[in-house]
Amino acid sequence: MTSASKSLTAETLIVQEVAPRDGLQIEPVFVPTEAKIALVDALSAAGFTRIEVSSFVSPKAVPALRDAAEVFAGIARRPGTVYVALVPNLKGAERALAAGADEINLVMSASETHNRANMGMSCEASLEAFGHMVAAARGTRATINATIATAFGCPFEGPQAVEKVEALVARYGDLGVDGVTLADTTGMANPRQVADLVRRTLARVPAERLTLHVHNTRGAGIANVLAAHGAGARRFDAALGGLGGCPFAPGATGNVCTEDLVSLCHEMGLETGLDLAALIGLARGLPALVGHEVPGQVAKAGRPCDLHPAPARKAA
Amino acid sequence: MTSASKSLTAETLIVQEVAPRDGLQIEPVFVPTEAKIALVDALSAAGFTRIEVSSFVSPKAVPALRDAAEVFAGIARRPGTVYVALVPNLKGAERALAAGADEINLVMSASETHNRANMGMSCEASLEAFGHMVAAARGTRATINATIATAFGCPFEGPQAVEKVEALVARYGDLGVDGVTLADTTGMANPRQVADLVRRTLARVPAERLTLHVHNTRGAGIANVLAAHGAGARRFDAALGGLGGCPFAPGATGNVCTEDLVSLCHEMGLETGLDLAALIGLARGLPALVGHEVPGQVAKAGRPCDLHPAPARKAA
């Protein structure tokens, strides 16, 4: 396992930055390869121990990430940081391993309907494909994470039975993956549900191997992260600027915003090991990179400690 | 006291809608009086038991709310709903009482610097003025709420000592006010701080008389509301669409968003007594009213239960 497990106290929160992958994959503009590399390098310098760098998907399906291999080849690897690649299938896994990904992140949905729409196959077929991908990664130095998308609800089917998600976690364990991600793919989760599913999952997966992937689609992202943390989760995906989005919700926010989450954690005394001022600086550069405003708030408002000069006193 | 106290269980959350006052006061456009009245009436119909209707301030200071008396005169009063007016001084209190406000909401800041900038006087002078306003309201049928602005931090001074805020709560009690609001005026609070100050305040003020006023300036609004609820608070200000804002953070979000909060509460099984579908409909009409997009997410993304048709299946 990764170095993230070395000091995972109750006052720690490990943020895995996913903007280069989940953030950029939905953007209509192609961010130049050099800019992606510079972003990942800047994220490394800001202290992230885990960065999801890109996705080895079909360039037709996600043209924004067609340069995944070039990005992996170009980044400066910070010792102790795990550079992750999302992979949808065996071919993607082989490309990611060849590109030198430290970890491959497999993905399927709890929802049969969502999996068929998103992955083009049944959930059982996805699990079978996982077996081949795990076999491909074994014997390499790469670790394997596997994501359960729509774990907290599916935009087509609605709520997903916790027993179904728990059974998938068990199947993932049988396959021998190193880590599991519970994903609230379209921001349907609520804090009570999150705390319940986290507690159930921690019965099977130790905290240093469990990641929560939370979207802020309905404004509950940070509340869900804090609920998961209260229930024992320690590792969270987040995206700089709150990049990302939801194909079913035009105008909705994307992933939970890294710098908003990190600012709040630091205010609460939770340790992230991250350089918040650097994150805010990077987030302020995102609109120029993607061509539009981004949802993150702290980059606009500043940290709570960034005080303002008092205005001239009103006449009494 | 109000009817809000009749069934204040741990699974209840009373939302006081403040968009007509805190939402509109910062808007550069003047929303026509008829539109304001229609909004308040629609909010009454959606089930709010408390609505902050307007502010009896100087029309020069806040031209957007110069029609406070006309709005009070024009609304249809729903039995059981408390129609509140913010008042900055004795003259405002007298005007609000004459206009038939059910409750006047007095306001001063915990921060001396903020109070001088915002109210044009020292905190001690504000407390003295409170005495005159309380005297004016006594003998009328109106109840009196008093707000502590910047209770969780001041944009000029920074953190405020909890002892100072507690002392103000005690002074408010000595003055004989009916209710107290702790306000995070510029969104500086964090959940641990909120839970602590709520617990301390509940030692002096019963839950049915305490309101939390939370801004989402740094994305933590809903997390702070849930932390306060977990600590025993039951009454919360929120603004439709997340209207409102912060003069020091251009582009930042405003008050915690009513429909986002209510949606999440209902998902968690918390009762608000509010018609969420009606709120979403109203929120979707706000951009036409104020001339710009508003921060609320659920009006864009729909409720979690608003499912989408599955797309055509991909080729395997």
Side-chain angles (χ1 to χ4, degrees):
Chain A
M1 285 300 290
T2 73
S3 62
S5 57
K6 69 182 174 217
S7 61
L8 213 50
T9 73
E11 296 295 289
T12 305
L13 205 138
I14 307 288
V15 181
Q16 170 167 262
E17 176 58 51
V18 300
R21 198 280 301 172
D22 204 12
L24 295 186
Q25 78 175 15
I26 203 173
E27 293 295 333
V29 300
F30 178 79
V31 173
T33 306
E34 297 68 34
K36 286 174 180 148
I37 292 169
L39 176 61
V40 173
D41 287 350
L43 293 166
S44 297
F48 288 99
T49 54
R50 302 179 59 86
I51 301 172
E52 197 164 83
V53 172
S54 194
S55 179
F56 287 85
V57 287
S58 146
K60 265 191 220 159
V62 187
L65 301 186
R66 61 178 184 260
D67 56 355
E70 291 90 327
V71 175
F72 265 96
I75 57 175
R77 304 208 179 199
R78 179 176 171 268
T81 295
V82 177
Y83 297 90
V84 181
L86 189 83
V87 299
N89 51 35
L90 180 59
K91 189 179 163 195
E94 289 168 345
R95 287 172 58 213
L97 295 168
D102 298 316
E103 182 165 295
I104 57 172
N105 182 16
L106 326 184
V107 60
M108 63 173 283
S109 302
S111 153
E112 188 74 29
T113 310
H114 191 268
N115 204 61
R116 287 179 186 271
N118 205 39
M119 307 303 293
M121 63 181 89
S122 69
C123 290
E124 274 305 321
S126 274
L127 282 166
E128 195 183 320
F130 275 21
H132 299 304
M133 290 186 262
V134 169
R138 262 193 206 124
T140 75
R141 61 173 192 82
T143 50
I144 305 160
N145 189 78
T147 291
I148 302 177
T150 69
F152 299 92
C154 165
F156 313 128
E157 291 185 3
Q160 300 294 300
V162 287
E163 295 76 13
K164 184 161 76 166
V165 179
E166 288 185 286
L168 259 186
V169 171
R171 294 286 293 273
Y172 282 16
D174 296 342
L175 284 165
V177 302
D178 300 293
V180 173
T181 295
L182 300 173
D184 183 25
T185 309
T186 59
M188 295 171 69
N190 72 70
R192 288 185 175 178
Q193 175 193 22
V194 166
D196 175 61
L197 191 54
V198 163
R199 278 191 208 101
R200 288 167 183 259
T201 306
L202 286 173
R204 283 202 173 80
V205 181
E208 65 269 22
R209 295 172 179 233
L210 176 64
T211 303
L212 264 284
H213 177 94
V214 165
H215 278 245
N216 194 39
T217 319
R218 291 172 176 86
I222 283 184
N224 284 330
V225 166
L226 294 182
H229 186 266
R234 294 293 175 260
R235 209 157 83 183
F236 298 90
D237 285 353
L240 199 70
L243 276 184
C246 174
F248 311 110
T253 50
N255 291 268
V256 68
C257 172
T258 302
E259 66 274 16
D260 290 3
L261 175 61
V262 170
S263 174
L264 194 64
C265 286
H266 291 186
E267 291 295 315
M268 296 172 73
L270 297 170
E271 290 179 17
T272 67
L274 296 167
D275 178 345
L276 177 57
L279 296 182
I280 292 172
L282 286 175
R284 286 177 177 157
L286 287 178
L289 207 61
V290 297
H292 57 80
E293 284 300 308
V294 299
Q297 289 299 306
V298 169
K300 299 177 184 105
R303 299 168 299 182
C305 63
D306 296 330
L307 301 183
H308 298 261
R313 191 188 301 187
K314 276 190 190 174
Chain B
M1 282 299 291
T2 75
S3 61
S5 59
K6 67 182 174 217
S7 61
L8 213 50
T9 73
E11 297 295 290
T12 304
L13 204 137
I14 307 288
V15 180
Q16 170 166 264
E17 177 57 51
V18 301
R21 198 279 302 171
D22 204 12
L24 296 185
Q25 79 175 14
I26 202 173
E27 294 294 334
V29 300
F30 179 78
V31 174
T33 306
E34 297 69 31
K36 285 175 181 147
I37 291 168
L39 175 62
V40 172
D41 287 350
L43 293 167
S44 297
F48 287 99
T49 54
R50 301 180 59 85
I51 301 172
E52 199 165 84
V53 172
S54 195
S55 180
F56 287 85
V57 287
S58 147
K60 267 194 219 158
V62 188
L65 301 185
R66 62 178 182 258
D67 57 356
E70 293 89 327
V71 175
F72 266 96
I75 57 175
R77 304 210 178 195
R78 180 175 171 268
T81 295
V82 177
Y83 296 91
V84 181
L86 189 83
V87 299
N89 51 35
L90 180 59
K91 188 180 164 197
E94 289 168 344
R95 288 173 57 214
L97 294 168
D102 298 315
E103 182 165 297
I104 57 171
N105 183 17
L106 326 184
V107 59
M108 62 174 281
S109 304
S111 152
E112 189 74 29
T113 310
H114 192 267
N115 203 62
R116 286 179 186 271
N118 204 40
M119 308 303 293
M121 62 182 87
S122 70
C123 291
E124 274 305 321
S126 274
L127 281 166
E128 193 182 321
F130 275 21
H132 299 303
M133 292 185 259
V134 170
R138 266 196 202 121
T140 76
R141 59 173 195 83
T143 51
I144 305 160
N145 188 77
T147 292
I148 302 176
T150 67
F152 300 92
C154 165
F156 313 127
E157 290 185 3
Q160 300 295 301
V162 288
E163 295 76 13
K164 183 162 74 167
V165 179
E166 287 185 286
L168 259 187
V169 171
R171 294 285 294 272
Y172 281 16
D174 295 342
L175 285 165
V177 303
D178 300 292
V180 173
T181 295
L182 299 173
D184 183 25
T185 309
T186 59
M188 294 173 70
N190 72 71
R192 287 185 175 177
Q193 176 191 24
V194 167
D196 175 61
L197 190 55
V198 164
R199 276 192 209 100
R200 289 168 181 258
T201 307
L202 286 173
R204 285 203 171 79
V205 182
E208 65 270 20
R209 296 173 178 232
L210 175 64
T211 303
L212 264 284
H213 177 94
V214 164
H215 278 244
N216 193 41
T217 318
R218 291 171 176 87
I222 284 185
N224 283 330
V225 167
L226 295 182
H229 186 267
R234 294 292 174 262
R235 209 158 82 181
F236 299 90
D237 286 352
L240 199 70
L243 277 184
C246 174
F248 311 110
T253 51
N255 291 269
V256 69
C257 172
T258 302
E259 67 274 16
D260 290 4
L261 175 61
V262 170
S263 174
L264 194 64
C265 287
H266 291 187
E267 292 293 316
M268 294 172 74
L270 297 170
E271 289 179 17
T272 67
L274 296 167
D275 179 345
L276 177 57
L279 296 181
I280 292 172
L282 286 174
R284 286 179 177 154
L286 286 178
L289 206 62
V290 296
H292 57 79
E293 286 299 309
V294 298
Q297 289 298 305
V298 168
K300 300 178 183 104
R303 299 167 299 181
C305 62
D306 295 330
L307 301 184
H308 298 262
R313 189 188 302 187
K314 275 190 188 172

